[in-house]
Amino acid sequence: MSDNQAYVRSQIKSDRVEIEFYHPAGNSLPGSLLAQLVRAINDAGNEKPNVILLKSHGERTFCAGASFDELSSIGDEATGLKFFSGFANVINAIRKSSKIVLTRVQGKAVGGGVGIMAASDYVIASKYASVRLSELAVGIGPFVIGPAVERKIGLSAFAKMALTPDEWQTAEWALQRDLVQEVFEEVKQVDEYIDFLIAKWNTYSPDAMDELKKVLWKGTEDWDNLLAERAAISGRLVLSEFTKNAINSFKSKS
């Protein structure tokens, strides 16, 4: 596998800006892809369609979260802060965008992938979607994505996910806790409903949609600072001997 195969692609359509990402390692997100996602989301804000469709390539994996290769190479707090700030920047880009961000989840989401789901304004998933916060198992904890996840599913459900890093939660579990808004049997049905929903949204006033976006994110105005503080925590913990050993153990099994 090569990072050279990875990409973030934007396509401007009449009714949406479609942003797709891919990485051969389970759609994981190294720093370079995170930065590209931020740019794509920010650039989409200048386009006419009032909806961003965020999706990943492939059949059964939405996003494997952080790149373990990159995590294992972090050697100092500054580098750790920079890496984890990548996830913070994606969440804040979604939060600040004037567009409604609709995310398509066709399969498994881990760690930062769950964070992207939680930061999205609306999520449509297939029954093959399942979610897990694996960070504690490698000595980090879901600190950067925590505010977004807790905001969506509540403190109790977030605590369950955070404290059971080896457990997958089903698409139905995610639906019941409002991490996703709709679940369908097949990916084809997901795509058909996405088309229907975006068509409906485009009949509404763009100004009203813009104001609604602001209402949905009211109370998160401090997240630039909050997520930077959380990124610093993760950036420090990733240097621990526990985390180094856990990541190397995981990589040796994969």
Side-chain angles (χ1 to χ4, degrees):
M1 292 184 297
S2 170
D3 281 0
N4 293 333
Q5 299 172 271
Y7 65 76
V8 172
R9 294 175 182 162
S10 293
Q11 186 177 6
I12 302 166
K13 299 185 176 182
S14 61
D15 60 350
R16 73 193 76 173
V17 178
E18 197 164 293
I19 301 173
E20 180 178 279
F21 64 92
Y22 168 73
H23 192 285
N27 289 328
S28 59
L29 291 170
S32 59
L33 282 193
L34 291 168
Q36 290 178 52
L37 269 178
V38 171
R39 286 195 295 271
I41 293 166
N42 289 340
D43 288 347
N46 299 318
E47 302 298 336
K48 185 176 181 180
N50 59 14
V51 179
I52 296 172
L53 175 61
L54 185 59
K55 59 192 288 190
S56 65
H57 178 78
E59 295 293 324
R60 293 287 184 266
T61 301
F62 171 66
C63 178
S67 164
F68 272 65
D69 285 337
E70 196 162 354
L71 280 176
S72 64
S73 71
I74 295 173
D76 58 76
E77 287 192 30
T79 304
L81 172 61
K82 181 179 179 180
F83 176 76
F84 287 102
S85 293
F87 284 97
N89 293 339
V90 170
I91 291 171
N92 278 324
I94 294 172
R95 174 177 69 89
K96 294 177 182 179
S97 176
S98 61
K99 313 295 186 183
I100 296 295
V101 177
L102 169 63
T103 295
R104 170 190 185 269
V105 179
Q106 77 278 25
K108 292 181 176 180
V110 183
V114 178
I116 290 173
M117 292 172 61
S120 303
D121 299 304
Y122 212 91
V123 179
I124 311 295
S126 80
K127 68 177 182 181
Y128 304 107
S130 54
V131 294
R132 178 163 67 100
L133 296 182
S134 61
E135 290 88 343
L136 196 63
V138 293
I140 303 173
F143 298 114
V144 174
I145 65 172
V149 179
E150 182 183 340
R151 170 180 170 269
K152 269 289 176 71
I153 69 177
L155 180 60
S156 178
F158 170 60
K160 174 179 175 55
M161 290 190 74
L163 290 168
T164 56
D166 297 321
E167 291 185 12
W168 288 99
Q169 307 301 330
T170 66
E172 184 62 30
W173 185 94
L175 177 66
Q176 291 173 358
R177 287 152 186 85
D178 297 320
L179 182 60
V180 305
Q181 279 62 61
E182 304 281 351
V183 173
F184 291 92
E185 285 288 309
E186 301 296 337
V187 175
K188 180 182 178 182
Q189 294 172 301
V190 170
D191 291 335
E192 289 172 348
Y193 187 73
I194 284 173
D195 289 342
F196 166 79
L197 196 58
I198 290 177
K200 179 64 69 174
W201 285 349
N202 276 285
T203 67
Y204 302 148
S205 161
D207 291 336
M209 294 284 278
D210 182 45
E211 292 299 326
L212 179 58
K213 173 82 180 209
K214 295 174 185 176
V215 169
L216 292 176
W217 284 95
K218 184 176 175 57
T220 64
E221 293 79 8
D222 65 333
W223 277 25
D224 280 340
N225 292 328
L226 174 62
L227 298 193
E229 292 170 1
R230 297 293 186 85
I233 295 172
S234 294
R236 183 181 72 251
L237 289 173
V238 77
L239 301 175
S240 71
E241 198 66 27
F242 183 100
T243 295
K244 294 293 185 185
N245 291 336
I247 290 174
N248 288 332
S249 175
F250 177 87
K251 288 174 64 178
S252 68
K253 295 175 184 177
S254 60

